[in-house]
Amino acid sequence: MSNLSLQLTTKEKEELHLAKRLLENPGIAMKITNVLGSPIQQGMGFLPKNWNEKLSEITTNALLKAADTAVFTLKKEHKNKASQNLFHKISAGATGAMGGVFGIAGLAIELPITTTIILRSVADIARSNGESINEIETKLACLEVFALGGDKIDESTLESGYYATRTFLSNSMSQATKYVTEQGIINEGAPIFLNIISKIAKKFGVQVTEKTIAQSVPIIGAAGGAVINTVFISHFQDMAQGHFIIRKLERKYNQGTIKALYHKI
């Protein structure tokens, strides 16, 4: 295994370590708890009984709208740095204020806006790591970020949460890429695309629930909602930075090499 690491430059080794720290860090619930100074579980009682059914519909719609608005219309413009991260944080904070005021009732309106802002930021980070945003594989990789949540080791496969999630989505990603390569277009309503969105929504929904629970506490208000949404977008910016560092290294070497080194850290 040590021979594998000799292939990487010192800078690349540092980037790989940074990527793992970002991707395997505490999830949104812990981050929000640290910011609020109290566990978010206190908001559990404010969720409606049919929350899971509503959540599935809201998260799926949010991802579909974001993909249509933020990914499939993106230009190829390349940036060396993701310079808009602060702007995206401020924008997400503003929409989060709505969530703090209206709570669950406002989620169906607020989440698609927040998700679109996050996806714009994710695409910006992708471009800063050498990705071509016109490529369908990059567009799908941007959406893939919403399924990443800083999960721990998957005991059934002994894989990190990051690579376990990529494995979970890999077959659908490959089929979609093949479909677009053969057809020349991607139809946002195509079953293959909806299948990917459905899988990502299941993962994304866990983190949306944690955000919603925190915003549902009556004392949170607009200011608290803005803070929570800022934590929310910061989390996915971290996931995106780690994800696209890994993809950049995989393009230069190969996935097997980088995956082995990642697990060794």
Side-chain angles (χ1 to χ4, degrees), residues 104-210:
I104 295 173
L107 186 66
I109 299 173
E110 176 258 313
L111 188 63
I113 299 172
T114 298
T115 305
T116 299
I117 293 169
I118 293 173
L119 195 48
R120 283 280 185 184
S121 182
V122 167
D124 199 29
I125 292 169
R127 284 183 293 203
S128 73
N129 281 282
E131 299 271 355
S132 174
I133 204 64
N134 279 1
E135 298 293 329
I136 182 59
E137 188 178 346
T138 301
K139 295 177 188 292
L140 293 175
C142 287
L143 288 169
E144 193 174 18
V145 169
F146 287 98
L148 305 176
D151 298 325
K152 302 303 180 184
I153 295 292
D154 185 328
E155 296 295 341
S156 64
T157 63
L158 297 181
E159 281 199 320
S160 68
Y162 170 66
Y163 273 106
T165 298
R166 285 184 66 182
T167 298
F168 171 70
L169 296 172
S170 62
N171 187 48
S172 296
M173 292 288 184
S174 297
Q175 289 180 4
T177 301
K178 181 181 179 182
Y179 174 86
V180 175
T181 300
E182 294 176 348
Q183 302 295 323
I185 58 171
I186 183 165
N187 180 355
E188 291 87 339
I192 186 64
F193 180 71
L194 293 176
N195 180 47
I196 292 174
I197 291 294
S198 176
K199 286 187 174 182
I200 293 173
K202 289 179 181 179
K203 297 278 188 177
F204 184 42
V206 174
Q207 296 164 93
V208 171
T209 295
E210 292 167 348

